[in-house]
Amino acid sequence: TYLAKERAVAIEAVERASKVCQSVFKRLVAEETLTKNDKSPVTVADFGAQAVVNSILEKHFPQDPIVGEEDSKDLQGDQGRALREKVVELVNTATQAPMSTNEVLRAIDRGQYAGGPKGRHWTLDPIDGTKGFLRGEQFAVCLALIIDGKVRLGVLGCPNLPYEMDKPEGERGVLMVAVEGQGAFQRRLSADSSESETPIRVADVADTKDAVFCESVESGHTSHGDNANIAKLLNITKPSVRMDSQCKYAAIARGDANIMLRLPSSSTYVEKIWDHGAGNIIISEAGGRVGDINGNPLDFSAGRTLRANDGGVIAASAKIFDAVIQAVQTTLAQKSE
């Protein structure tokens, strides 16, 4: 079947990277008391996860370039030594064959590709949702395959997401996967490979008054005042589901929530493709829609960013998507008056 090998390899890569992140959390975050500004565990996990994913992709698809978030410059030289040693040690807990320091750095630097409209490339966000990660809440490992400017395959690893949203204290760890034209599925993240996948669909919400927002825990990414205004226009009264990272896409794809808004936080901010590639195809294949503030589909052919779009990202169940876009436009127009 179409992209069968890519699908299997992407799942393996995301599962391994998720394990790396979880072991960093157990070792560094839980044990070392961190000040609020100390991002070092995230940095270790970020680099470690990127090295693991990139080396797995290189093994199976050596010709495929990668658009990744990190490069190895902070790990070079004497200044980077302490961090570099932690990263290399970490990577070697997750790989089948040991990797040397140089191999780890080279794997990280395979993520420097510029992207574009032709051919195949992968895009990776090794830890999406750093604040969520540090709090022991939601973060995601996000991997997507782009062919000729379109996302054709996406995998999201959400290590702390409850397998069933109505059992928040129950089992955690969800992996979602979608291939163009084949639907979207979820399975347990920590499962062995025989674990069965379950098809997922967005909730069949026909009227926005019955919809639930999915919003960030903190308001850096999108303006909560605008969200409140849009909620009013759409007659939304139900409490929002709050979580960081592309786990929001996962929540909408399986019907835990129905609308995600990422409004432009400034006129200059441009969204990055790795922040949306996997979530975009998982929602579309689950029967939802994703677009910019004008409802145009996200354009992944313009390089490392979504600069061909008009800003922002809105995802919703298909039946209410147009109504949400209308409320967004009304709200933004009132602001600019």
Side-chain angles (χ1 to χ4, degrees), residues 5 9 12 55-64 96:
K5 183 184 176 189
V9 169
E12 181 200 348
S55 65
I56 290 172
L57 291 178
E58 182 176 31
K59 189 174 98 183
H60 295 281
F61 306 108
Q63 305 305 314
D64 287 359
Q96 283 163 325

Side-chain angles (χ1 to χ4, degrees), residues 185-313:
F185 297 85
Q186 80 166 6
R187 53 184 265 190
R188 288 171 174 80
L189 181 59
S190 53
D192 59 45
S193 53
S194 64
E195 163 74 30
S196 59
E197 295 177 359
T198 321
I200 49 173
R201 296 293 293 170
V202 297
D204 191 22
V205 179
D207 191 321
T208 55
K209 71 175 186 322
D210 303 317
V212 174
F213 264 146
C214 196
E215 301 190 77
S216 299
V217 176
E218 295 179 37
S219 59
H221 273 308
T222 191
S223 156
H224 281 296
D226 290 339
N227 282 14
N229 206 351
I230 291 163
K232 210 157 97 187
L233 287 170
L234 296 171
N235 300 315
I236 291 173
T237 52
K238 296 186 178 181
S240 293
V241 173
R242 290 197 177 273
M243 61 176 73
D244 290 313
S245 82
Q246 282 190 59
C247 290
K248 288 193 273 295
Y249 279 113
I252 292 171
R254 66 179 189 180
D256 300 334
N258 319 107
I259 301 168
M260 179 192 92
L261 301 176
R262 214 168 129 131
L263 303 178
S265 49
S266 74
S267 56
T268 52
Y269 182 73
V270 184
E271 298 285 350
K272 312 289 187 290
I273 62 170
W274 53 80
D275 282 330
H276 302 286
N280 183 77
I281 189 167
I282 287 168
I283 294 243
S284 325
E285 288 292 322
R289 285 176 66 189
V290 186
D292 62 17
I293 52 173
N294 291 321
N296 300 314
L298 302 184
D299 182 347
F300 289 88
S301 71
R304 295 173 68 87
T305 67
L306 298 177
R307 64 170 183 268
N309 285 98
D310 299 321
V313 175

Side-chain angles (χ1 to χ4, degrees), residues 75-221:
L75 302 178
Q76 303 284 354
D78 284 347
Q79 280 179 315
R81 176 176 295 154
L83 186 56
R84 179 171 71 239
E85 285 169 358
K86 272 186 176 166
V87 170
V88 173
E89 182 199 356
L90 173 70
V91 167
N92 280 311
T93 63
T95 50
Q96 283 163 325
M99 288 175 73
S100 70
T101 300
N102 280 345
E103 285 170 331
V104 169
L105 297 179
R106 200 177 60 83
I108 290 168
D109 283 332
R110 288 198 77 230
Q112 297 306 293
Y113 186 62
K118 291 270 179 282
R120 287 169 47 121
H121 55 274
W122 297 83
T123 185
L124 168 70
D125 192 344
I127 292 191
D128 187 38
T130 50
K131 289 174 178 164
F133 173 78
L134 283 171
R135 283 197 300 267
E137 292 170 14
Q138 299 314 322
F139 72 96
V141 179
C142 316
L143 181 63
L145 175 61
I146 296 170
I147 303 176
D148 295 334
K150 280 198 156 147
V151 182
R152 315 285 179 171
L153 157 70
V155 179
L156 279 183
C158 306
N160 293 331
L161 193 66
Y163 191 70
E164 295 171 50
M165 211 58 173
D166 53 3
K167 297 181 187 158
E169 300 311 310
E171 189 185 357
R172 290 175 165 232
V174 175
L175 182 131
M176 288 194 180
V177 56
V179 172
E180 183 181 41
Q182 294 175 20
F185 297 85
Q186 80 166 6
R187 53 184 265 190
R188 288 171 174 80
L189 181 59
S190 53
D192 59 45
S193 53
S194 64
E195 163 74 30
S196 59
E197 295 177 359
T198 321
I200 49 173
R201 296 293 293 170
V202 297
D204 191 22
V205 179
D207 191 321
T208 55
K209 71 175 186 322
D210 303 317
V212 174
F213 264 146
C214 196
E215 301 190 77
S216 299
V217 176
E218 295 179 37
S219 59
H221 273 308

